[in-house]
């Protein structure tokens, strides 16, 4: 055998089975068939040499005297990128060779080399390790993980000041028997800067993922409380609610935890039959602006 690769030669009739140079004796006129197989993905059988054999198929020789046959093994690099197939995660792609995070995307094309949810470019810019899953770490000690800082667009190396994540106060989780026009109340965490609280996002949904929403508003005047307008909720259904604070610098803080609740049917006076309880209905001409956006609620289709 010769070449930079390695392999094995076996023969029929039995007597030849070697990985280096070997010899065997047969009677004159014996028909010997040789087969060459590479040892691993790093090697490839290139061709036969001498003995009247060529190509890469089995070598058949009829012995009429001493006969030398050489099997040539080379190194296997299918895509010619300089990385042997045995070390190449993408042996047929000349533009890729490695997959550091094992996500099936080559390192050259991968925008998140450690598969931690944060772009490699952002991690490099912010002094994080793009090859280690550090999404859950909090190097600046502000209570926000690197991943949350990435999602918010804040600096993971400097403590982020603001209202923080909303703390749900009432109603309690899994509360039942609540009014159709119930009120929500939120609070602040210990490190919150209340002066930097610009507004609050409120959501009520029919599922824990908040993909089926019945209310989705931002209030800027009433930052820690919201009364749900009549007509939004139906009795005897389970709802989920959450809140999120917006800072004066425009940063949108992560959503709070979510809580569930169930409301019950209750009687109310509605003399004009418009579906709004009389004690919650404004007099004609009175302006209503629950979300504090400067527009009359009645003129907004998404209210």
């Amino acid at each position: 055998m010769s070449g930079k690769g390695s392999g094995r030669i076996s023969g029929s009739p039995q007597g030849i089975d070697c990985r280096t140079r070997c010899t065997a004796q047969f009677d004159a006129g014996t028909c010997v068939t040789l087969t060459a197989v590479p040892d691993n993905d790093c090697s490839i059988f290139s061709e036969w040499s001498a003995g009247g054999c060529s190509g890469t198929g089995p070598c058949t020789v009829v012995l009429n005297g001493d006969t030398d046959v050489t099997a040539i093994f080379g190194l296997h690099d299918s895509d010619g990128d300089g990385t042997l197939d045995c070390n190449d995660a993408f042996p047929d792609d000349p533009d890729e060779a490695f997959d550091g995070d094992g996500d099936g995307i080559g390192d050259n094309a991968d925008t998140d080399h450690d598969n931690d949810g944060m772009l490699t470019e952002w991690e490099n810019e912010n002094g994080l390790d793009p090859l280690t899953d550090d999404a859950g770490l909090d190097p600046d000690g502000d209570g926000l993980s690197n991943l949350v800082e990435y999602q918010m667009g804040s600096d993971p190396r400097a403590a982020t000041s603001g209202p923080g994540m909303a703390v749900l106060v009432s109603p309690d989780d899994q509360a039942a028997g609540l009014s159709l026009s119930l009120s929500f109340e939120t609070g602040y965490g210990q490190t919150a800067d209340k002066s930097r609280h610009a507004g609050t996002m409120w959501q009520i949904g029919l599922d824990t993922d908040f993909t089926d929403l019945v209310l989705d508003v931002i209030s800027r005047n009433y930052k820690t409380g919201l009364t749900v307008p009549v007509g939004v909720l139906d009795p005897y259904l389970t709802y989920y609610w959450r809140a999120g604070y917006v800072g004066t610098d425009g940063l949108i803080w992560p959503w709070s935890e979510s809580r569930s609740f169930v409301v019950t049917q209750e009687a109310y006076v509605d003399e004009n039959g418009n579906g709004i309880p009389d004690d919650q209905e404004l007099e004609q001409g009175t302006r209503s602006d629950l979300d504090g956006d400067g527009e009359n609620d009645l003129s907004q289709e998404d209210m």
Side-chain angles (χ1 to χ4, degrees):
M1 288 186 288
S2 66
K4 295 182 178 181
S6 62
R8 171 188 175 189
I9 299 176
S10 59
S12 175
Q14 293 183 355
I16 298 177
D17 189 355
C18 59
R19 286 184 168 81
T20 57
R21 181 175 179 83
C22 59
T23 61
Q25 293 184 345
F26 297 96
D27 294 334
T30 300
C31 181
V32 177
T33 299
L34 303 176
T35 302
V37 179
D39 276 339
N40 49 52
D41 289 340
C42 283
S43 298
I44 184 173
F45 175 51
S46 301
E47 61 179 335
W48 296 103
S49 174
C53 292
S54 61
T56 57
C59 168
T60 300
V61 179
V62 177
L63 299 178
N64 294 311
D66 292 344
T67 304
D68 289 329
V69 178
T70 300
I72 301 174
F73 290 92
L75 296 178
H76 198 192
D77 180 13
S78 298
D79 52 18
D81 61 0
T83 301
L84 298 181
D85 285 8
C86 55
N87 300 317
D88 195 333
F90 306 91
D92 298 318
D93 186 348
D95 296 322
E96 297 289 354
F98 305 106
D99 180 14
D101 56 6
D103 63 357
I105 302 174
D107 287 349
N108 290 332
D110 202 343
T111 57
D112 179 9
H113 286 76
D114 52 12
N115 210 30
D116 61 0
M118 302 179 293
L119 291 179
T120 295
E121 181 180 3
W122 185 85
E123 291 200 60
N124 285 327
E125 291 174 351
N126 289 277
L128 303 181
D129 186 349
L131 301 179
T132 300
D133 184 351
D134 48 6
L137 301 183
D138 179 18
D140 57 13
D142 61 0
L144 301 175
S145 68
N146 288 332
L147 179 59
V148 171
E149 299 257 26
Y150 168 75
Q151 294 169 337
M152 291 176 58
S154 53
D155 188 344
R157 298 164 296 180
T160 303
S161 179
M165 292 179 61
V167 176
L168 304 188
V169 177
S170 67
D172 293 331
D173 190 25
Q174 301 181 3
L178 302 181
S179 165
L180 284 171
S181 57
L182 65 95
S183 295
F184 296 134
E185 181 183 354
T186 62
Y188 300 96
Q190 293 182 349
T191 61
D193 183 351
K194 300 178 184 179
S195 67
R196 302 191 67 178
H197 186 183
T200 302
M201 305 176 295
W202 305 89
Q203 285 188 339
I204 303 176
L206 291 169
D207 62 310
T208 56
D209 294 328
F210 292 88
T211 57
D212 189 1
L213 296 175
V214 298
L215 183 71
D216 184 12
V217 297
I218 298 179
S219 62
R220 302 189 184 277
N221 294 331
Y222 305 99
K223 300 174 184 176
T224 58
L226 177 74
T227 298
V228 182
V230 171
V232 172
L233 304 176
D234 291 321
Y236 312 118
L237 291 179
T238 298
Y239 292 96
Y240 302 87
W241 73 287
R242 63 181 180 179
Y245 290 158
V246 180
T248 54
D249 54 4
L251 280 180
I252 298 177
W253 286 72
W255 287 103
S256 67
E257 62 176 349
S258 64
R259 290 183 178 180
S260 66
F261 65 90
V262 179
V263 297
T264 57
Q265 183 70 53
E266 60 182 12
Y268 55 83
V269 178
D270 180 19
E271 292 186 354
N272 59 9
N274 65 353
I276 302 176
D278 291 349
D279 61 356
Q280 297 184 22
E281 188 168 7
L282 300 176
E283 296 183 4
Q284 185 68 29
T286 301
R287 184 182 181 86
S288 174
D289 184 16
L290 292 177
D291 56 7
D293 63 356
E295 297 186 23
N296 193 327
D297 293 342
L298 295 178
S299 66
Q300 301 180 63
E301 295 181 356
D302 58 350
M303 277 298 298

